[in-house]
Amino acid sequence: MSTSETSRYVRLRVEMVLEITDAEALSGTALESLAAEYGEPGGDSAEERTHAENAVREDGAEALASLIDPFDLVSEVPGVELTQASWTSESIAYDPQDPDGWDLDDGDDEDDGDEHGAGVPHNGEENDDDGSAERRA
């Protein structure tokens, strides 16, 4: 690819720390989303659906990851098209009072090609070995 061809592509990295203020509302919304995605209980994807439902009930990070879709973030932006996306969600220890608590250079630039996790296959999601949920679109 020439330089002019590759300059059309941009990697946008966004990192957020969110506080779950109502875990029940979050998991309820995630369960509604799963019901809409999988349709009626039973059928070919019953085991997959059950696994996904259990994951979002037990873990707020899983529930959040199942609801976030990068396409929604850029679908209304004129002149861009989402080509590929990957995102993760994990529970962390965070102290909002700690001035050093937001370290943007945390050395988390892992090789994106190492995708060997297994887990909740919701909207392209995979669980990594560390328990974080990673989704691909």
Side-chain angles (χ1 to χ4, degrees):
M1 250 185 228
S2 71
T3 304
S4 63
E5 289 175 322
T6 59
S7 65
R8 293 182 4 206
Y9 297 94
V10 174
R11 180 182 309 256
L12 173 66
R13 294 180 189 245
V14 177
E15 184 168 333
M16 295 185 259
V17 174
L18 304 172
E19 178 182 2
I20 297 174
T21 58
D22 188 341
E24 194 171 300
L26 176 61
S27 64
T29 302
L31 290 169
E32 289 173 9
S33 175
L34 288 170
E37 179 179 343
Y38 286 103
E40 293 297 317
D44 295 337
S45 60
E47 185 177 333
E48 191 175 288
R49 177 182 177 153
T50 300
H51 181 72
E53 288 175 342
N54 288 336
V56 301
R57 278 187 188 104
E58 295 171 9
D59 186 358
E62 291 282 351
L64 185 61
S66 74
L67 294 169
I68 300 298
D69 186 350
F71 178 78
D72 292 341
L73 297 174
V74 298
S75 63
E76 300 295 321
V77 178
V80 298
E81 181 178 327
L82 181 62
T83 305
Q84 182 178 357
S86 164
W87 58 107
T88 63
S89 180
E90 63 185 320
S91 296
I92 61 167
Y94 177 74
D95 179 3
Q97 304 302 318
D98 181 6
D100 297 325
W102 184 258
D103 185 8
L104 293 178
D105 187 28
D106 62 1
D108 218 12
D109 294 332
E110 296 176 8
D111 180 10
D112 290 338
D114 186 20
E115 305 298 333
H116 59 276
V120 179
H122 177 64
N123 290 337
E125 177 180 309
E126 300 175 5
N127 277 354
D128 291 334
D129 291 336
D130 65 358
S132 63
E134 179 168 329
R135 297 181 52 194
R136 298 195 166 282

